Amino acid sequence: MAEAKQKSPGRIKQMVQVYKNTRTHDRLLTPLMLLSFLGPIIVAILLAWLLPGNWFSWILWPLTGILAGLLIAMIVLGRRAEAVAYSQIEGRPGAVGAIVQSALKRSWRGSEVPVAMTRQQDAVYRVIGRGGVVLISEGSRQRTQRIALDEERKLKRAISNVPITHLYVGPDEGAVALPQLSKELQKLKRELNRNEIAAVYNRLSSLQASPVGIPKGIDPNRVRAQRPR
């Protein structure tokens, strides 16, 4: 009980901070949260008035509306905060690395450090998951194409029986939008189970040369999308 009391103020404080940070960049946040909170309450009161019942219904329905309103408002806050976080890093060097570190599902493993880079700070990142090995290019497609293919050739020598997929995040046509990167990975056909993912990841990690570094312009530890817990 004592631990719960200590954690509650921390969570409330965190939600308030997320709200303040997001409101600075999203003017629609406050009206959307108010609408999300008040809408279910109004619906619940109407149901209590229209449906037959007793005094208990007038307590139960509004209470249900308040709880539903709070839940929906928190969902709206989380999604708007995530959208703001993406907008702040999209197009900057290292944005894909930040997503790899903080936003990928647990079924995918990778590093915010690229496996290859160009002098212009275009980068190629590698993630391993249910869809096999995925090379994610960030920057100019023309500049990253060669280093991505070079990395694919290295991978085929080490893991010849594992499928390799290329994804591209950048300004050119046909690129994957940064907020959609995680969804694109989840769309890939399942090729590996959990044990195979771990084995491939460990195999490639043992062969990895000294890291090429994180592209300047972004600190992956400071761009994680804030969500209320």
Side-chain angles (χ1 to χ4, degrees):
M1 291 295 290
E3 291 183 2
K5 290 181 180 179
Q6 291 177 358
K7 290 182 180 180
S8 295
R11 290 174 182 173
I12 294 174
K13 185 177 180 180
Q14 182 190 44
M15 287 189 291
V16 171
Q17 188 62 45
V18 171
Y19 168 75
K20 289 180 178 179
N21 292 341
T22 307
R23 183 185 59 183
T24 304
H25 304 279
D26 187 352
R27 295 181 179 180
L28 293 177
L29 177 64
T30 300
L32 286 175
M33 288 187 66
L34 283 174
L35 182 63
S36 301
F37 176 66
L38 296 176
I41 297 176
I42 295 173
V43 172
I45 292 174
L46 288 175
L47 289 173
W49 180 57
L50 293 173
L51 298 177
N54 50 29
W55 62 269
F56 184 70
S57 298
W58 281 99
I59 297 176
L60 181 61
W61 279 111
L63 181 60
T64 302
I66 291 172
L67 294 176
L70 284 172
L71 176 61
I72 296 174
M74 290 301 99
I75 292 174
V76 169
L77 174 59
R79 291 186 176 179
R80 303 294 288 195
E82 185 178 51
V84 166
Y86 278 124
S87 68
Q88 290 179 325
I89 66 173
E90 192 165 13
R92 297 173 59 186
V96 169
I99 302 303
V100 169
Q101 183 191 44
S102 63
L104 291 187
K105 302 294 184 182
R106 292 182 178 180
S107 57
W108 289 88
R109 302 181 66 177
S111 171
E112 74 276 10
V113 179
V115 293
M117 283 182 63
T118 68
R119 293 180 179 179
Q120 294 81 9
Q121 292 193 351
D122 305 298
V124 174
Y125 297 83
R126 184 182 66 212
V127 294
I128 300 99
R130 50 183 288 177
V133 177
V134 181
L135 296 175
I136 307 171
S137 300
E138 173 188 72
S140 167
R141 183 191 293 271
Q142 184 178 5
R143 291 194 297 261
T144 57
Q145 186 174 17
R146 182 183 61 80
I147 60 174
L149 291 175
D150 287 344
E151 186 63 27
E152 180 181 3
R153 283 191 286 269
K154 295 177 185 177
L155 291 174
K156 286 182 177 179
R157 288 196 294 267
I159 46 169
S160 58
N161 59 336
V162 178
I164 300 171
T165 304
H166 290 265
L167 291 179
Y168 168 71
V169 177
D172 298 333
E173 185 179 354
V176 177
L178 188 65
Q180 300 300 317
L181 179 57
S182 182
K183 291 182 180 180
E184 287 296 321
L185 290 173
Q186 298 305 316
K187 289 180 182 178
L188 296 177
K189 180 182 177 182
R190 180 185 291 275
E191 301 286 352
L192 304 177
N193 59 36
R194 183 178 301 179
N195 293 333
E196 290 170 335
I197 292 172
V200 171
Y201 179 80
N202 292 334
R203 167 69 173 165
L204 294 180
S205 296
S206 66
L207 297 175
Q208 179 68 46
S210 53
V212 297
I214 300 175
K216 296 179 180 178
I218 238 176
D219 181 356
N221 295 313
R222 301 182 64 182
V223 296
R224 186 169 305 186
Q226 295 180 330
R227 298 182 184 180
R229 295 178 181 176

